[in-house]
Amino acid sequence: MKFNSAFLRWSAPLVMGAALMTGNAHAQSETTECIAPAKPGGGYDLTCRLAANGLQETGLIDQPMMVSYMPGGIGAVAYNHVNGVRDDDPNLIVAASTGAAVNLALGKFGQYDADEVRWLGALGVDYGAIVVKADAPWQNLGDLMSDLKKNPNGVVFGAGGTVGSQDWMKAALTAKAAGVSPRQLRYVAFEGGGESLAALLGDHIEVFTGDLSELRPHLESGKIRVLAALSDVRMGGPYADIPTATEQGYDVEWPIWRGYYMGPEVTDADYNAWVERLETLSGKDAFAEMRKARGLFPMNRFGDDFDAYVKAQVVQFKQLAKEVGLTQ
């Protein structure tokens, strides 16, 4: 999916995206801002614009939301900036994802951990998936797990990320669910999902740990078989026939959430106002269409519920990282 970059101007250390215009009234009247902790055009840009466009088009803000770009350290630069410079800004939200939780667990955000910000909420989510070729010997996840238990080195996994990345975590959690140590996995890292899928179809790997949304164009091709969706329940539409790992007896879930955090010193009143704003947005029909067009599924976690959810994720990822020797 391609994203259109806004007109850019340098204002160190930020590259500021031109705000979108709006004519709606009521709700937030001050200028709001969303920091995307990356360069324009990626997932964090999508996450910021999901909020910016959605809030404007539904009239929940009456002035344009500015989208700013702060790449560096896979999110670490933005995280440190918010904690060190704008810790009490009531009009600033920062895009985050499951990847941020992984990096926090791996200690990649320096002196700060998951407790240093106020996790605000998530407006959308994608889910991991376990994918094989259509002619693979495994008809379901149980078949794959059985072979993995017998010979962990006999199955070659691959995905668009190195050891410690989200895609590797999916493979590692799948191995754990089969009673296999992730240290025993044969895992090949690629540049992205497209390259990984090509490697699967070219018989260079046997199992691809991808995402449901990126598989949609390939579901009717007859070339792949999705053994499991790593979601809590089955997704609808074109994914309705894909069973979850849980329903097949394996406790493996991987939600790739798209959400936001605020500075640690933001007042309860300002934090709760943002929680209410995002909750209201998530219930709008127009926003549901916008989210679907971006390949995301609904996710409705906000405020304290989301804060606890992210922190619990980080604890889980820390345990896994320590188990496989990524951290001490």
Side-chain angles (χ1 to χ4, degrees), residues 249-274:
Y250 299 95
D251 186 18
V252 188
E253 294 182 13
W254 193 269
I256 305 106
W257 50 263
R258 297 289 179 185
Y260 313 88
Y261 65 82
M262 300 184 75
E265 301 302 324
V266 170
T267 66
D268 288 345
D270 288 322
Y271 174 78
N272 290 329
W274 271 104

Side-chain angles (χ1 to χ4, degrees), residues 18-299:
L20 305 173
M21 300 306 295
T22 181
N24 290 326
H26 55 262
Q28 180 79 15
S29 59
E30 297 182 31
T31 300
T32 54
E33 179 183 352
C34 181
I35 291 179
K39 295 178 181 179
Y44 283 141
D45 192 358
L46 178 151
T47 305
C48 273
R49 294 192 180 279
L50 191 66
N53 295 352
L55 290 168
Q56 288 173 305
E57 291 183 19
T58 57
L60 292 170
I61 54 176
D62 64 2
Q63 291 191 31
M65 171 176 273
M66 181 172 287
V67 176
S68 308
Y69 303 99
M70 188 177 285
I74 325 175
V77 170
Y79 203 81
N80 280 262
H81 174 76
V82 171
N83 276 286
V85 180
R86 302 176 68 180
D87 61 350
D88 62 352
D89 191 332
N91 296 313
L92 175 68
I93 62 175
V94 185
S97 71
T98 307
V102 171
N103 289 327
L104 281 164
L106 295 176
K108 293 185 177 181
F109 283 8
Q111 63 179 309
Y112 299 114
D113 61 24
D115 295 322
E116 303 292 344
V117 299
R118 304 196 73 170
W119 297 96
L120 184 59
L123 287 175
V125 65
D126 196 359
Y127 292 99
I130 308 299
V131 188
V132 298
K133 279 186 68 178
D135 60 0
W138 309 294
Q139 297 300 313
N140 53 55
L141 187 58
D143 291 344
L144 173 63
M145 294 299 211
S146 178
D147 281 357
L148 196 59
K149 288 179 183 178
K150 295 174 184 176
N151 183 14
N153 290 317
V155 180
V156 183
F157 285 75
T162 59
V163 172
S165 68
Q166 288 196 66
D167 287 336
W168 176 84
M169 286 276 190
K170 298 171 202 171
L173 289 172
T174 301
K176 279 194 67 176
V180 173
S181 170
R183 289 175 180 265
Q184 297 178 275
L185 277 184
R186 289 181 63 189
Y187 178 84
V188 182
F190 296 93
E191 287 296 322
E195 186 177 320
S196 307
L197 191 57
L200 178 76
L201 297 176
D203 293 321
H204 300 295
I205 60 175
E206 295 170 287
V207 182
F208 167 44
T209 50
D211 301 334
L212 280 181
S213 64
E214 68 184 326
L215 297 175
R216 183 168 184 171
H218 306 281
L219 292 178
E220 296 181 359
S221 69
K223 296 179 179 180
I224 64 170
R225 178 183 301 130
V226 185
L227 298 184
L230 304 185
S231 52
D232 53 346
V233 296
R234 286 198 189 199
M235 298 294 101
Y239 312 99
D241 292 333
I242 301 173
T244 67
T246 302
E247 71 182 81
Q248 297 180 76
Y250 299 95
D251 186 18
V252 188
E253 294 182 13
W254 193 269
I256 305 106
W257 50 263
R258 297 289 179 185
Y260 313 88
Y261 65 82
M262 300 184 75
E265 301 302 324
V266 170
T267 66
D268 288 345
D270 288 322
Y271 174 78
N272 290 329
W274 271 104
V275 169
E276 182 179 355
R277 192 171 296 122
L278 294 187
E279 282 185 311
T280 302
L281 176 62
S282 71
K284 300 282 188 179
D285 291 341
F287 177 74
E289 290 301 316
M290 186 183 302
R291 179 176 53 205
K292 182 179 179 181
R294 286 159 175 78
L296 296 174
F297 304 99
M299 183 175 189

